[in-house]
Amino acid sequence: MTSFPAEPAGLDADDPYARSAQTFPTLNDEMAARIAAYGHAEDVPSGAHIYERGQRGADFFLVLDGAVEVYEAGEHGSEHIITVHGPRQFTGELDLFNGRGILVSGRARGPTRVVRIDRSTFRHMVATEADLGEIIMRAYILRRVGLIRHGQGIELVGPGHRSDTLRLARFLTRNGYPHRLLDTDTDADAGGFLECFHLDATQLPVIILSDHRVLRNPSNAELADALGLTEDFDPTHVHDLIIVGAGPAGLAAAVYGASEGLDTIVVESMAPGGQAGTSSRIENYLGFPTGISGQALAGRAQVQAQKFGAQLAIARAVSGLDCSTHPYAVIIDNGARVQGRAVIVATGARYRKLDVANYNRFEGSGIHYAATAMEAGLCGGEEVIVVGGGNSAGQAAVFLSRTVKQVHILVRGSGLKATMSDYLVQRLESSDKVTVHPATEITGLDGDAALERVTWIDRDTGESETRRISNVFVMIGAVPNTDWLDGCLKLDDGGFVCTGSPDSAYAASKPGIYAVGDVRSGSVKRVASSVGEGSVVIAAVHKFLEVE
């Protein structure tokens, strides 16, 4: 039998499927023997499945003899073979580190002998065998990237500029779920989908699942449930640590907490990364001299936390905190309760809005709070506006300037140098596709189904101008997400959590509850400082749990 997989031709150099030695590695005999020692061998008859799409808790398999073909179900009963694992190759991808429904199916091609390793033993093996763990983790990350790039996944059908279509696309993208967007305004194939599933324009957007079920404009939580992204809570189980929020601070706390043996759960309403997860490029984060996208950084941190055993519950908004008894209970918006001996508040902040007429009407259909590849795809070759003078605004303007006709940066102050890092200021000043408008504010937003025209005024001159602009990126700071705390903790005048005690700079006003990152009063609003706070606070959690 020839080696597996056969490397596809005509792929970009950065395509994971063009890097088969890393994406689908073949182990040497010594490594395969070490892995085999963690499980037990079994024979699988030809055509029998060892795991199927949607299954939760799939095991890890090492092929000893024969082959395992990995495939996705396609349209009209067809199948798409992704790869075929031969001897000394292994199955799986990132969902082996969590309890989510897996994205692909695997079955024996001919009589096959495998080593099966259950998920808890698999986690132990990855943490114990550092060299094997590195090979497996790299392969799993590349396999997920390959599925996102090439996988058939699910279909999102709807008008590309409609707010709910964008909401669903953002949710899928930020959670790394393979999907295809069919824009009914521009895609010729979309009409066929609507006819096939007996849909009309009033029911859009819809999600068409791999089993051909149709979800009509689902909420994020409904979509997450349907895709198997969520995990159930055991109301009787008491965790060592509950982390609310999966931004940089929360993810750092999860990595350090779980790696140091704490039973850790992270509850997140949207997707890993928080506001940082929407950044197109972070260029001043230590260790990444060429920069890294916020989503990539968050994705790696999420996998790292799950590798050490942290449980991550996404699409689960927190509605309250019961601090009247101990253990504490975090209350989910569906009424579920998660109990924990210690709690870390890492809910960050939500975006500030402009006080302009029609603003809410155009949120999601012209007004954006992130500048990623998805948003950039909506405005290629057009003029856009970025509102704000901080680093997030500067990073967005640099990113957008690659594909748009012109970026107008509107700031209320006299310029950028007082509020933005120098490297960004220099880059913007050197670009002929970026224009900075000091002392300028938006005064009007107009359009029909989506934003079409924007009016701004120069406060120094009094001159007003209206331009045909359909996309405005608002990056003017944020307010803390602390409404859910229900008066449990002391807040400052701005609503941020007050912290500080002889035991820890991150201790809130209730013992065993801590606040880190942007939600904490007096914190430095930087990704690096949030990661630092999330890692350092675990020492205080250990100290509290030891005497509690």
Side-chain angles (χ1 to χ4, degrees), residues 27-44 50-51 58-68 85-92 96 108 111-119 121-122 125 132 136 140:
L27 304 174
N28 62 37
D29 289 337
E30 185 273 335
M31 288 180 171
R34 266 194 287 152
I35 287 181
Y38 284 89
H40 63 274
E42 58 184 62
D43 294 309
V44 184
I50 57 174
Y51 55 84
D59 291 332
F60 174 94
F61 294 91
L62 172 71
V63 180
L64 297 178
D65 190 37
V68 171
H85 296 301
R88 290 181 282 117
Q89 293 187 315
F90 53 85
T91 66
L96 255 72
T112 299
R113 186 167 178 80
V114 298
V115 170
R116 180 193 292 265
I117 301 176
D118 66 66
R119 288 175 68 246
T121 306
F122 164 74
M125 178 187 74
L132 294 174
I136 292 169
Y140 281 7

Side-chain angles (χ1 to χ4, degrees), residues 460-507:
D460 287 343
T461 65
E463 293 182 4
S464 183
E465 182 176 1
T466 299
R467 301 179 75 101
R468 293 194 64 82
I469 290 177
S470 301
N471 292 279
V472 176
F473 296 82
V474 180
M475 297 177 172
I476 55 173
V479 293
N481 286 317
T482 51
D483 296 345
W484 62 280
L485 291 173
D486 293 335
C488 279
L489 304 179
K490 181 182 178 182
L491 308 178
D492 68 12
D493 292 340
F496 294 87
V497 179
C498 295
T499 60
S501 76
D503 293 327
S504 172
Y506 310 110

Side-chain angles (χ1 to χ4, degrees), residues 31 40 148 169 175 202 208 324 338 390-391 401 405 410 413 497-498 531:
M31 288 180 171
H40 63 274
I148 293 172
N175 281 289
T202 63
I208 301 174
S324 60
V338 186
N391 277 4
S401 67
K405 179 180 179 181
L410 275 53
V497 179
C498 295
V531 170

Side-chain angles (χ1 to χ4, degrees), residues 240-483:
D240 292 330
L241 175 62
I242 304 173
I243 301 168
V244 185
L251 288 172
V255 168
Y256 280 84
S259 67
E260 294 176 14
L262 297 181
D263 177 354
T264 303
I265 184 170
V266 185
V267 184
E268 166 59 43
S269 62
M270 173 65 174
Q275 286 195 53
T278 68
S279 178
S280 56
R281 181 67 50 177
I282 302 171
E283 295 194 63
N284 57 357
Y285 187 71
L286 188 67
F288 293 90
T290 60
I292 185 172
S293 73
Q295 184 177 342
L297 185 64
R300 294 181 184 190
Q302 173 189 353
V303 173
Q304 196 172 12
Q306 291 174 331
K307 165 188 169 182
F308 291 118
Q311 182 181 355
L312 183 65
I314 65 155
R316 289 296 181 255
V318 171
S319 62
L321 173 63
D322 184 353
C323 57
S324 60
T325 60
H326 194 264
Y328 298 118
V330 169
I331 303 167
I332 311 301
D333 58 3
N334 63 2
R337 295 169 66 91
V338 186
Q339 295 189 80
R341 299 164 63 200
V343 176
I344 293 177
V345 179
T347 42
R350 58 186 179 273
Y351 303 104
R352 291 187 185 275
K353 301 180 179 183
L354 299 176
D355 184 14
V356 183
N358 293 329
Y359 187 89
N360 292 338
R361 175 183 163 197
F362 295 121
E363 276 189 295
S365 56
I367 294 174
H368 314 284
Y369 300 102
T372 67
M374 189 186 79
E375 287 81 16
L378 300 172
C379 48
E382 301 178 3
E383 293 186 50
V384 302
I385 293 173
V386 174
V387 182
N391 277 4
S392 295
Q395 290 159 353
V398 169
F399 177 72
L400 293 167
S401 67
R402 302 171 188 169
T403 55
V404 304
K405 179 180 179 181
Q406 190 72 24
V407 180
H408 300 277
I409 301 180
L410 275 53
V411 291
R412 299 181 67 177
S414 59
L416 300 175
K417 293 186 176 181
T419 55
M420 189 179 293
S421 293
D422 183 64
Y423 80 93
L424 283 171
V425 175
Q426 291 187 37
R427 196 168 297 176
L428 295 172
E429 289 178 344
S430 65
S431 174
D432 58 5
K433 296 178 69 175
V434 176
T435 304
V436 179
H437 301 263
T440 301
E441 300 176 32
I442 291 177
T443 56
L445 301 166
D446 296 289
D448 294 325
L451 180 64
E452 298 173 8
R453 294 172 299 280
V454 179
T455 302
W456 68 64
I457 186 171
D458 184 323
R459 294 296 183 189
D460 287 343
T461 65
E463 293 182 4
S464 183
E465 182 176 1
T466 299
R467 301 179 75 101
R468 293 194 64 82
I469 290 177
S470 301
N471 292 279
V472 176
F473 296 82
V474 180
M475 297 177 172
I476 55 173
V479 293
N481 286 317
T482 51
D483 296 345

Side-chain angles (χ1 to χ4, degrees), residues 219-235:
S219 67
N220 290 349
E222 290 168 340
L223 177 57
D225 286 339
L227 297 178
L229 294 178
T230 50
E231 300 186 32
D232 295 330
F233 300 112
D234 179 356

